[in-house]
Amino acid sequence: MSRYFALVDCNNFYASCERVFNPKLEKKPVVVLSNNDGCVIARSNEAKAIGIPMGEPLFKVKALIRSKDVKVFSANFTLYGDMSRRVMEVLADHCADLEVYSIDEAFMELRFYHQSANSLVAWAEKLRATVYQWTGIPVSVGIGATKTLAKLANHVAKKRTRTGVYAIRTDDPLLHEITIGEVWGIGRRYEARLRQVGVNTVRELQCIEEGWMRQEFGVVGLRLLKEIKGEVCLLLEDPVTARKHTMVSRSFADDLYELAEIQRRLALYATRLGEKLRHYRQAAGVLTIYLWVNKHRNRRRDGRTCFARSVNLPIATNNTNHLISWSAVVAKALFEAGTNYKKAGIMASELVPENLSQGNLFQDHRAHERDNRVMKLVDELNQKMGQSTVYFAACGERPSIPLRQDYKSVNFTTNWQELLEIWG
């Protein structure tokens, strides 16, 4: 049995979602902005070509946007999430062994008997056409003997082919040209160290001794090297166990100076975090709070722009009440009067399955079970009646996360009042 992995990646996903329901955007430069219309987080190929950088604040590129008639959209995550679901459903119809890696990426394990790389390319081209026909989203497909090679093949499919599909071999001539910075898992530190010893291309990386790689980068580095050489070390992961951490963060429409308002915002984020954890049946062992200063109008004398502090929770939890309480405590410890805060975030890590959360001798088990029933009931009511139908008082009156979305498209696929109308 031949064994290959494929990585399917949606091209310029957020921009592509906007184009599906607005054909006039085809061949036009399109950018999508982050929360509160802060920075550029997605660009069409045309926007990349005119020099709009990724992550650039909107105010810095407004002149370029006007002069080049760039179409600007506020992030519409409701639309993007639904379009992602549709793409993943198409992929699941064509391959049972699927790992949804992110909102716009999925790994597939191709366990086809008597299949060659060439025949898989034909299969991938048909899959790509089907995804586009059924969803309107263009994708690229990379095929390789391992997940790491499939990821690298996807890079080639996007940058160096017209078909959007590429199957890479462990002895592929292109490996002499592709730089190590394109390899999945090689960050700046790995890249700098490898270049110090004369390793610049993927082919040169394949020739590194395994003993040296383990000594320099540990088991993770050794596993990466073996994957590049075609030895399978990374298998598809279950969506729950694959999540090592989860985070909710937002920029503020205006700078915040008061602790109470920051704690209220964090209570909202903790509520969303709790919902995410319960959805994936996980509990958090560590909670980290982040506060970011407005780096474009920093009023601090020391110039610091980011503050963070973590706390080890006594018992791993996904209870919103506990998450809110701890976020308020940590925020108070981080807060400094006179600082203009522009963004806050809350991250859960050391995640464990909720049914394996380790208790202790002093835990009131009946209270714990009661709290779990309350959270389940709150989730059911909010899913049935609408978000924030039931909420914690710490979130404020009828809470919502205020966002600036001056360029937002409508929810074409999830709101009856916003369905696309076609007139004959």
Side-chain angles (χ1 to χ4, degrees):
M1 181 179 71
S2 301
R3 185 184 200 178
Y4 292 93
F5 291 87
L7 177 70
V8 181
D9 187 8
C10 301
N11 299 341
N12 311 316
F13 181 56
Y14 294 169
S16 295
C17 289
E18 299 293 350
R19 282 176 164 169
V20 169
F21 299 97
N22 191 348
K24 292 180 180 179
L25 299 175
E26 286 295 333
K27 306 301 181 183
K28 300 286 181 65
V30 176
V31 298
V32 177
L33 305 176
S34 61
N35 289 315
N36 289 309
D37 295 343
C39 302
V40 175
I41 59 171
R43 307 161 295 162
S44 66
N45 289 332
E46 296 79 7
K48 296 174 185 177
I50 63 176
I52 297 179
M54 189 67 159
E56 192 75 355
L58 175 61
F59 74 88
K60 287 189 175 183
V61 291
K62 271 193 172 180
L64 181 59
I65 284 173
R66 282 193 297 267
S67 66
K68 299 296 184 180
D69 192 28
V70 179
K71 307 304 177 184
V72 180
F73 292 90
S74 303
N76 186 345
F77 292 116
T78 301
L79 173 64
Y80 308 152
D82 186 62
M83 294 302 293
S84 172
R85 177 187 60 80
R86 295 175 182 219
V87 171
M88 299 307 166
E89 285 180 354
V90 178
L91 299 182
D93 286 343
H94 286 75
C95 181
D97 297 316
L98 181 74
E99 176 193 334
V100 179
Y101 184 66
S102 68
I103 192 171
D104 62 348
E105 291 179 283
F107 282 104
M108 310 169 81
E109 187 170 352
L110 311 178
R111 296 173 177 270
F112 301 150
Y113 287 89
H114 310 302
Q115 291 283 4
S116 65
N118 290 335
S119 62
L120 286 177
V121 167
W123 174 85
E125 289 174 347
K126 184 178 180 181
L127 171 65
R128 184 173 184 267
T130 302
V131 171
Y132 186 75
Q133 180 181 3
W134 291 5
T135 69
I137 301 296
V139 301
S140 297
V141 185
I143 300 170
T146 67
K147 288 174 73 174
T148 304
L149 285 172
K151 185 86 168 175
L152 195 62
N154 190 277
H155 168 75
V156 176
K158 274 189 176 182
K159 305 292 185 182
R160 304 190 182 212
T161 72
R162 293 183 179 180
T163 62
V165 175
Y166 192 78
I168 202 165
R169 308 189 312 269
T170 54
D171 61 347
D172 200 302
L174 282 179
L175 298 181
H176 293 272
E177 304 174 20
I178 303 173
T179 61
I180 55 175
E182 302 298 340
V183 176
W184 182 40
I186 292 187
R188 292 181 181 179
R189 186 176 68 86
Y190 276 30
E191 183 178 5
R193 178 64 182 124
L194 288 168
R195 289 190 183 279
Q196 283 179 354
V197 296
V199 177
N200 298 292
T201 68
V202 177
R203 179 57 186 154
E204 290 170 345
L205 176 62
Q206 288 178 321
C207 297
I208 288 285
E209 292 184 2
E210 292 185 359
W212 182 90
M213 196 71 176
R214 177 161 187 165
Q215 180 180 350
E216 289 289 326
F217 304 113
V219 175
V220 174
L222 176 61
R223 187 167 56 208
L224 185 152
L225 175 60
K226 288 185 174 183
E227 283 264 318
I228 283 294
K229 293 164 72 172
E231 182 179 340
V232 176
C233 298
L234 302 173
L235 301 176
L236 298 189
E237 295 189 46
D238 180 85
V240 173
T241 57
R243 295 172 66 89
K244 307 304 181 187
H245 60 266
T246 188
M247 183 173 184
V248 177
S249 65
R250 297 286 188 277
S251 297
F252 311 135
D254 300 300
D255 293 0
L256 297 183
Y257 293 84
E258 301 296 329
L259 173 61
E261 181 58 21
I262 291 174
Q263 289 176 322
R264 187 185 76 82
R265 299 293 180 93
L266 283 169
L268 289 169
Y269 306 164
T271 300
R272 300 289 177 267
L273 184 68
E275 292 169 350
K276 285 185 175 184
L277 290 171
R278 293 191 294 274
H279 174 75
Y280 287 100
R281 297 184 176 88
Q282 292 182 307
V286 175
L287 203 64
T288 304
I289 300 298
Y290 296 89
L291 296 178
W292 286 273
V293 181
N294 188 334
K295 63 181 180 181
H296 302 294
R297 291 190 295 271
N298 194 337
R299 300 179 183 276
R300 295 183 58 87
R301 292 183 178 180
D302 59 9
R304 286 186 63 184
T305 58
C306 182
F307 299 83
R309 181 168 296 186
S310 299
V311 58
N312 294 309
L313 303 179
I315 299 173
T317 185
N318 57 23
N319 185 294
T320 297
N321 191 29
H322 300 163
L323 298 175
I324 290 176
S325 298
W326 280 107
S327 70
V329 170
V330 178
K332 185 176 181 180
L334 282 177
F335 179 80
E336 293 186 15
T339 299
N340 53 323
Y341 296 101
K342 185 60 177 176
K343 182 178 179 180
I346 178 171
M347 184 176 73
S349 54
E350 300 293 331
L351 303 184
V352 296
E354 62 179 4
N355 61 336
L356 297 181
S357 175
Q358 182 68 47
N360 61 46
L361 293 174
F362 305 101
Q363 182 181 9
D364 186 336
H365 294 284
R366 284 186 295 182
H368 178 70
E369 292 174 0
R370 180 200 63 209
D371 290 344
N372 287 342
R373 290 195 299 270
V374 170
M375 286 293 96
K376 182 179 180 181
L377 180 60
V378 168
D379 289 340
E380 290 174 352
L381 287 171
N382 286 334
Q383 289 167 10
K384 184 176 181 180
M385 307 300 294
Q387 196 174 66
S388 298
T389 298
V390 181
Y391 56 89
F392 285 82
C395 298
E397 185 176 351
R398 191 62 182 177
S400 63
I401 300 176
L403 295 175
R404 178 177 292 140
Q405 295 180 306
D406 295 337
Y407 312 96
K408 182 178 174 293
S409 58
V410 300
N411 296 321
F412 296 103
T413 63
T414 57
N415 189 323
W416 286 106
Q417 278 67 48
E418 297 181 356
L419 292 180
L420 193 65
E421 295 183 1
I422 301 176
W423 297 84

